[in-house]
Amino acid sequence: MFSAKPPISTPSTTASAFISATSKFSNCITTRTQLPLLPRRRRSTASRTVRAVISRDEKGVGTATVVVDSDSLALSPKDELDVRVVLTIRKKMKEKLVEKIEDQWESFVNGIGCGIVVQLVSEEINPVTKTEKRSAETPVRGWLPQASGNPLLAEYVANLTVQSDFGRPGAIVITNLHSKEFYLMEIVIHGFSGGPVSFPSNSWIHSCSDNPQSRILFSNQAYLPSQTPDGLKDLREEDLICLRGDGQGERKMFERVYDYATYNDLGNPDKGEDLARPNLGGNQKPYPRRCRTGRPPAKSDPAAEGRVEKPHPIYVPRDEAFEEVKQTTFSSGALRALLHNLIPALKAALSSSDRQFECFSDIDQLYKVGVLLERDEPKATTKLLLPSIMSSIMNVGERFLKYEVPSIISRDRFSWLRDNEFARQTLAGVNPVDIERLREFPIVSKLDPAVYGPPESAITKECIEHDLNGMSLEEAMENDRLFILDYHDLLLPYVKKINSLKGRKVYASRTIFFHTRCGTLRPIAIELSLPPTASNPPKKRVYTRGHDATSHWVWKLAKAHVCSVDAGVHQLVNHWLRTHACMEPYIIAAHRQLSFMHPIFKLLHPHMRYTMEINALARQSLINGGGIIEACFSPGKYSLELSSAAYKSVWRFDMEALPADLIRRGMAVEDPSMPCGIKLVIEDYPYAADGLLIWSAIQDWVRDYVNHFYTNAEAVTSDVELQAWWDEIKNKGHADKKDEPWWPKLNTQEDLISILTIMIWTASGQHAAVNFGQYPFGGYMPNRPTLMKKLIPQEDEPDYEDFILNPQYTFLSSVPSQLQATQIMAVQDTLSTHSPDEEYLGQLHNSHSHWIKDRQILNYFEKFSAKLVEIEDIIHKRNKNFHLKNRSGAGVPPYELLLPTSGPGVTGRGVPNSISI
């Protein structure tokens, strides 16, 4: 349901396809059956050839004539080479009966040479005509034994001959005569003197009935544009032209066209004004670009693209779609999410309201018992058309809808209540990328004071010094002991709009932390601000830790408000924007401007897997108007506008480098004697400490790779594909930022190394750090409530007395409801899940074993892989070091989000190559 499916043919349509395929060879096909193939050069006079000439009469009746050539008729003035072309095709894992019949029929059609046609293209040109050297178009025929022992793989062979001066094959032109696509793993050519030649594919080969243009596959030999063999130059450009498309019309699901569009498909104005959303991308609301689909505009708003709702798929280039293992896993997760949503929704409907949790033990029941449908009054159930189905759902609910205990409470149920755990998660939680060192005081806003009031923070020197154990503010700042989590300027312009939404109450927050002598952080002050209104000045209240019961509960509510703001910024800015959305233009530009032969494309390819597909699914179901993110996070319908504001004000490509980001936030200082050239201000900063290990390993691997292919700066500046790729990223992919002065130049090897390291880090380590901890930390809702429904009650307000009488009720009625909590838990569970086919950093999947023909590069990759194994061991040792209190201790979950490897499921660890979930 999440990716394009090949059209299902009936046996009759398959037979028609066979007749159609056979007719392509009428009156002109000559099939050749050679003597047993040997990888040797031979004289053509030594062969005996059997030709079956197929023809049709005027009534369409086919006849075959067998002709045996005598040796004397096969004389040739030149030597010839016998060549064997072996294709490996992957079958579907799960097939319906009709699909199995189709596969058997297609296998037969392939076997008799009427399903697939291949043509070899030499790296050399004809010295006389100055044109490409091509072999004859040859049908693939015959079956090979399953040498791999994998029943999902089928191998077919094409035997052909080429002249001895053909040269090394550098490309294959392949035509699919079937009525539907097939998945080609690779092609290997045997018979040339240099040994087998591999053509990695891992691609869907479209049917010629969908697109008559044949596919071009290149060998695994990497070439810079200037090094392209003469025989491949035209094909190299032709393939890129096909991938770019013409920018016209609606894209078809079988196509492989990469182009750009703005985010004008998030809303659904045709369903109502409340679901209309602004276009993201442009001067008013800048944003990275997404993949163009070319869908027609909405009827009620020509500027908005028409929606495609589930279960219909959104276009992504065919090879970007989930493979079957991933699709099955994601579909299973999506089904689980659906059931998690369905059961609470029915529960809420039958009880006439979406209820809040009444006590903390209600939340514990989600893990002990699960989500159960309550049987309300009989008259309510009789309203359902199929009460038996409802009963079945209830049974499924009792068995299936039991949540796993998240790691944050698995060792200590009450850790989330403690201040040190609240602070620790800013360094070792799911959002460890926003904390900064406090470097200026007083704290001053950069917002327009004419609109938002006086810029000075309400946090005073006395307020801070009250909790510094006798240390002065100046001394604490000088010794790098004060830190801040500051969301004030990002949130304040949206607070009024968000608070006008039903069931939403938010503050613009600032939180001050003190770094204690034992190495942990302690929160000492929280400022919560509301913007001015026509009748009231801005409200800025500062909350500090107290020792009486009332102060304790007020402090707990203040921390909950900070967590809800942090959860929204994490999801919309640090997760979605900085990894998913910003990575997509790099991928589109790579396919449009870098040939498959280009060494940089080969380097980046593993880090682009599945990203466009998961982004399309997010636009359809998660970040869309009325989607899960809007329903469950504080900003509601303004969620993506907030993301756009962050892109406009804070996103910079150069600051996405981990060392640069740490220095920008004051969490590290430059130190040439240290690895990566920086020293952490807080040594026990798990995200940064482990992240720098991963960053350094990636950088070393990229440096070895780049310097191998680019021996000097001129090689970089003269690489037309590389320069076009970088220019397109800036001018099209991130068009709203194209004039920014901070974009790195691309003039030297070091420039390229820096750019590539940022991209690979973003796709791997950075995304892993902010994604796979979502359920481990957010699966217990009170630890990270994604929204708050009430402001903190004040002494002069009517709700204050209720708060004094029942503070637990006030807290639980302020956080997400049962429906909202179970919805977001289901989504967090799905997004935190590793697929069984996950490809992790430093690992090479069997299907990509022939990714490049370069022994030195493969040695460098082995070195990179060994370094990651070493890093995994270092992280394990760190997690056992009790001096590092932010990652070890009684009840403290170890920091494992940047451990390179993982098994499938929700593990809270593992660094995949790409943003695949």
Side-chain angles (χ1 to χ4, degrees), residues 25 113-119 137-140 172-177:
F25 291 88
C114 295
I116 303 170
V117 176
V118 296
Q119 182 181 44
E137 290 186 336
T138 305
V140 172
I172 294 178
V173 179
I174 182 168
T175 305
N176 174 12
L177 302 178

Side-chain angles (χ1 to χ4, degrees), residues 73-89:
L73 294 177
L75 292 175
S76 173
K78 291 186 178 181
D79 289 343
E80 289 183 342
L81 293 177
D82 289 327
V83 175
R84 169 169 286 187
V85 181
V86 179
L87 294 80
T88 303
I89 294 174

Side-chain angles (χ1 to χ4, degrees), residues 217 237 340 399 430 476 521 535 586 613 644 670 696 718 806-807 811-812 873 888:
L217 300 178
E237 182 58 28
H340 275 303
R399 296 195 313 270
V430 71
L521 288 179
S535 56
Y586 313 151
E613 171 84 340
S644 171
E670 294 185 10
S696 179
S718 63
N806 193 342
F811 183 93
L812 290 175
D873 185 57
S888 63

Side-chain angles (χ1 to χ4, degrees), residues 414-426:
F414 304 106
S415 63
W416 68 278
L417 287 167
R418 295 196 301 269
D419 285 350
N420 62 347
E421 179 59 26
F422 169 77
R424 187 189 74 87
Q425 290 181 32
T426 65

Side-chain angles (χ1 to χ4, degrees), residues 407 771-776 828-829 831-835 838 840 894-912:
S407 63
N771 181 73
F772 292 104
Q774 290 193 73
Y775 188 79
Q828 288 170 333
D829 178 71
L831 297 182
S832 301
T833 299
H834 288 293
S835 171
E838 198 85 87
Y840 295 95
Y895 186 75
E896 297 181 330
L897 289 172
L898 288 171
L899 278 172
T901 62
S902 172
V906 179
T907 63
R909 57 175 289 174
V911 181

Side-chain angles (χ1 to χ4, degrees), residues 44 297 354 460 537 606 643 666 696 760 764 789 795 828:
S44 60
D354 175 19
T460 63
S643 181
S696 179
I760 295 174
S764 57
K789 296 184 172 184
E795 293 184 16
Q828 288 170 333

Side-chain angles (χ1 to χ4, degrees), residues 1-2 307-310 314 330 614-630 827:
M1 64 184 287
F2 293 105
R307 289 283 298 170
V308 173
E309 302 293 354
K310 295 182 297 183
I314 295 180
F330 191 85
I614 196 64
N615 286 3
L617 292 172
R619 299 200 313 274
Q620 187 176 46
S621 305
L622 292 179
I623 63 171
N624 59 302
I628 295 293
I629 299 300
E630 287 192 359
V827 171

